[in-house]
Amino acid sequence: MTERAHVAVVGAGPAGLAGALTAAARGVRVTLVDGADQAGGQFYRQPARALGARRPEALHHQWHTWERLRDGVDRHIAAGRISHLTDHHVWCVQRESGSFAVHALRGPAQEEGVTVRADAVLLATGGYERVLPFPGWTLPGVVTAGGAQAMLKGGLVLPGGRVVVAGTGPLLLPVATGLDAAGARVAALVESADPRALLRHAPALAAEPGKLAEGAWYAGQLLRHKVRTLSRHIVVEAHGTDRLKVVTVAALRKDGRIRPGSARRIPCDTLAVGHGMLPHTDLAETLGCTLSEADGTAVRVDDEQRTDVSGVWAAGETTGIGGAALALAEGHIAGRSIAARLHGTAPDPRSWAAAARARTRLRTFFTALEAAYAPPAGWAERLTDDTVVCRCEEVTAGAVRTAAGSLGAGDLRTVKLLTRAGMGWCQGRMCAPAVAGLTGCPLTAGRRPFARPVPLGVLAGLPDD
Amino acid sequence: MNPLELAQAGPGEAFTVTFDGRPLAALSGQTVAAALWTAGVTAWRSTRGGGRPRGVFCGIGVCFDCLVTVNGRANQRACLVPVRPGDVIRTQEGPGQDDD
Ligand SMILES: Cc1cc2nc3c(=O)[nH]c(=O)nc-3n(C[C@H](O)[C@H](O)[C@H](O)COP(=O)(O)OP(=O)(O)OC[C@H]3O[C@@H](n4cnc5c(N)ncnc54)[C@H](O)[C@@H]3O)c2cc1C
Ligand code: FES
């Protein structure tokens, strides 16, 4: 008996689920590997089972799409076509002659090694939030907007009672409405972008009426709940000694500078803040996949969602930020391409024409959104020298400026060697965009040896080759 | 309204854990971070350099700001580790030292 072709899908968010379903339906054996204890990813993050939520959809959008994905995956699991390894954190994917070894750490303690061997790999690891520093951003009570959302959806908890949601980007809307619905008082939604920037991109945005309606729905919710929305405003500083007590917000002028006299203080115990998202690319980088030239932060794929490493596909936010609907379309295309290629045939792109059209439209839409929601010019100049930039190693903006200035560092790696910014636990995931912005160095791939910290015992236990 | 009511949750009976010796109620299914948030605790680490307090930042296992000592094991990400009955949770000082 010959084993069926086998793909390992890393990530059980919208992209990975769509890819797994599509490939499994076409006769490919799928192992779905994810660090979380349930499928769903960030968008469809589920409350822990033991919490017994009878109405988890109250915290969600597009629940029907989730039900279709979940039921489909459950059916394939029951039929033995998909196996789902939950609580498996992948720290490295290795190419072996003609196949791949996906190395994961099992369980919350992440100390036990597990290796999955497969003929092909689909990377669908999503992204994480970018937060640009400002004075006070390391105070307890300051959390990422997506993080507040993730803790709410997964653990049914709130960070505090009085919240300011701030930064820039479309994610702030669901976060503010979600926190409000769950009982927090949202004192203000502070968005740095200018609504007129959205108008400038009107044609690209209008091509996606569904997404616009979604945005309008959230805006309506905020109005209904009397959430104060301040556009072209930023949080200048978060205040408190051992935890957040107050934020100072101020209005921005057209040139990105603060309008004099506009500063005001808003008492709050939580600041949920974010400035867009960045793709997770570490597994792709160690495999040798090329990142896109445009900004060097996303995995480059072709029309079939193939990376330039044979046998490795990528879909969803790993290949560029664009939301759940785009992740679904990309996962679907990847799944079809994987099935055809593993069966030794060339896929027919006509079979995914609808998904390809959605992909084109949504990519255009998000490129326009990204331009409209760019962090305000001048944010880097506003950082005081004593503001911590690298949270792990407690490196200040002053030290980073010195490295790039008098010490002449011209790239992130040199700044890191001179200051230790990016050398700590998170390996620069949090500070790299800020260091790049402060120094004018291009934001380049991190080249982390492992996507997760790996116990030495697990490394020592790997076979030599 | 609170999040448990909104999602019509029916969690099992609360159990007790301690945080720096103080008993707290926690629910099965929650992470250590979620249990601490429920009890109003937002800081459980002090940084190696400045001794500054930290707690959850990214909420999804990426930033390592939420490191904590659980049952004598240091450097556990509170936002990922499930809370268990009887857990002894302690503020992690600096790089953290395992108790044993
Ligand atoms: C914290 C957070 C909250 C968000 N909340 C919202 C929201 O409320 N509304 C909204 O419209 N958008 C939200 N987003 C944006 C959201 O990421 C996308 O819309 C969508 O989920 C992207 O789908 P995806 O399949 O590409 O990735 P994701 O949904 O992010 O799925 C990626 C999956 O890969 C897994 N993974 C990653 N790395 C590894 C690894 N090394 N080993 C094992 N598993 C791994 C993760 O556990 C995750 O399940 C949020 C993003 C973040 C970071
Ligand atoms: S809060 Fe970022 S790792 Fe836990």
Side-chain angles (χ1 to χ4, degrees):
Chain A
M1 196 181 79
T2 52
E3 274 280 89
R4 274 183 292 151
H6 180 202
V7 63
V9 176
V10 186
L17 291 172
L21 276 171
T22 311
R26 283 161 188 77
V28 177
R29 192 157 58 91
V30 178
T31 304
L32 185 57
V33 191
D34 195 291
D37 64 355
Q38 288 180 81
Q42 302 303 351
F43 191 77
Y44 292 116
R45 183 180 285 271
Q46 302 297 308
R49 281 207 183 82
L51 292 171
R54 277 170 292 137
R55 241 187 111 237
E57 62 270 33
L59 289 161
H60 279 270
H61 217 68
Q62 284 144 16
W63 186 253
H64 290 304
T65 307
W66 161 247
E67 287 179 318
R68 272 209 309 279
L69 288 172
R70 181 197 58 196
D71 296 348
V73 168
D74 285 350
R75 265 197 311 277
H76 285 298
I77 290 175
R81 288 183 290 261
I82 295 182
S83 52
H84 182 187
L85 303 181
T86 56
D87 250 329
H88 279 63
H89 301 256
V90 179
W91 55 272
C92 176
V93 181
Q94 218 178 355
R95 197 149 44 143
E96 300 176 330
S97 52
S99 71
F100 295 89
V102 177
H103 299 291
L105 296 168
R106 192 155 81 176
Q110 301 188 23
E111 289 194 329
E112 186 195 339
V114 175
T115 300
V116 174
R117 293 208 149 67
D119 306 310
V121 178
L122 169 58
L123 301 172
T125 48
Y128 60 97
E129 226 168 343
R130 171 174 65 188
V131 184
L132 299 170
F134 50 90
W137 76 309
T138 54
L139 275 174
V142 180
V143 296
T144 68
Q149 179 87 328
M151 295 276 292
L152 172 59
K153 285 181 178 175
L156 304 180
V157 286
L158 289 172
R162 195 176 156 84
V163 186
V164 170
V165 178
T168 188
L171 181 59
L172 302 184
L173 292 167
V175 170
T177 48
L179 294 172
D180 180 272
R185 170 85 188 96
V186 180
L189 176 79
V190 183
E191 165 62 62
S192 64
D194 184 340
R196 281 169 299 188
L198 285 171
L199 286 181
R200 271 201 298 281
H201 298 282
L205 298 176
E208 206 49 50
K211 300 296 300 176
L212 283 188
E214 190 180 321
W217 183 85
Y218 284 125
Q221 290 294 307
L222 293 174
L223 263 180
R224 220 156 60 90
H225 291 268
K226 303 195 170 53
V227 171
R228 175 165 47 149
T229 302
L230 303 169
S231 305
R232 290 177 59 211
H233 277 68
I234 58 162
V235 168
V236 187
E237 185 169 358
H239 312 268
T241 43
D242 285 338
R243 67 152 306 155
L244 179 70
K245 291 265 159 53
V246 176
V247 295
T248 299
V249 303
L252 291 174
R253 295 193 315 207
K254 247 210 216 82
D255 61 4
R257 305 208 175 275
I258 287 172
R259 182 140 45 84
S262 67
R264 68 175 113 158
R265 291 161 72 90
I266 305 179
C268 56
D269 56 21
T270 306
L271 173 63
V273 59
H275 301 103
M277 301 249 306
L278 286 170
H280 270 305
T281 57
D282 18 35
L283 297 174
E285 283 169 44
T286 39
L287 273 164
C289 304
T290 307
L291 303 187
S292 65
E293 313 83 27
D295 56 1
T297 61
V299 179
R300 189 170 75 189
V301 288
D302 66 8
D303 285 349
E304 286 179 37
Q305 299 294 135
R306 289 181 299 179
T307 71
D308 56 3
V309 172
S310 168
V312 181
W313 279 255
E317 304 215 299
T318 314
T319 70
I321 301 309
L326 177 57
L328 285 172
E330 293 190 358
H332 180 83
I333 294 169
R336 283 193 175 254
S337 165
I338 288 167
R341 298 280 169 194
L342 287 184
H343 292 144
T345 58
D348 177 2
R350 280 172 306 184
S351 70
W352 63 63
R357 278 196 302 275
R359 178 175 64 183
T360 307
R361 271 202 328 266
L362 287 162
R363 280 186 184 161
T364 310
F365 178 81
F366 274 89
T367 307
L369 268 195
E370 209 163 291
Y373 286 118
W379 66 264
E381 290 120 66
R382 277 193 291 273
L383 281 188
T384 55
D385 270 346
D386 61 354
T387 303
V388 165
V389 172
C390 167
R391 301 173 68 96
C392 300
E393 294 290 315
E394 297 173 85
V395 181
T396 61
V400 170
R401 285 186 178 121
T402 306
S406 52
L407 301 179
D411 58 79
L412 291 189
R413 208 179 121 74
T414 312
V415 176
K416 171 168 157 179
L417 292 175
L418 290 171
T419 62
R420 300 192 60 81
M423 250 184 221
W425 274 98
C426 91
Q427 287 287 293
R429 287 178 181 84
M430 291 295 138
C431 67
V435 174
L438 264 174
T439 57
C441 300
L443 181 57
T444 45
R447 286 190 221 305
R448 300 162 188 112
F450 308 130
R452 294 280 189 280
V454 187
L456 288 176
V458 170
L459 284 181
L462 291 177
D464 308 323
D465 50 15
Chain B
M1 184 71 79
N2 68 47
L4 292 163
E5 283 168 21
L6 179 67
Q8 292 182 7
E13 189 111 349
F15 51 76
T16 306
V17 299
T18 61
F19 173 63
D20 289 343
R22 177 159 70 94
L24 305 177
L27 296 174
S28 182
Q30 288 185 326
T31 57
V32 167
L36 291 170
W37 270 17
T38 306
V41 179
T42 49
W44 48 80
R45 177 166 87 89
S46 74
T47 60
R48 190 153 43 107
R52 303 296 305 145
R54 297 278 177 87
V56 161
F57 185 58
C58 75
I60 60 167
V62 179
C63 74
F64 293 82
D65 246 358
C66 66
L67 296 178
V68 71
T69 301
V70 183
N71 300 325
R73 292 183 58 234
N75 296 322
Q76 304 297 300
R77 276 170 283 177
C79 70
L80 296 183
V81 178
V83 68
R84 307 227 186 270
D87 274 349
V88 177
I89 305 162
R90 285 198 302 104
T91 293
Q92 174 163 329
E93 309 284 345
Q97 302 278 308
D98 286 2
D99 286 352
D100 41 33

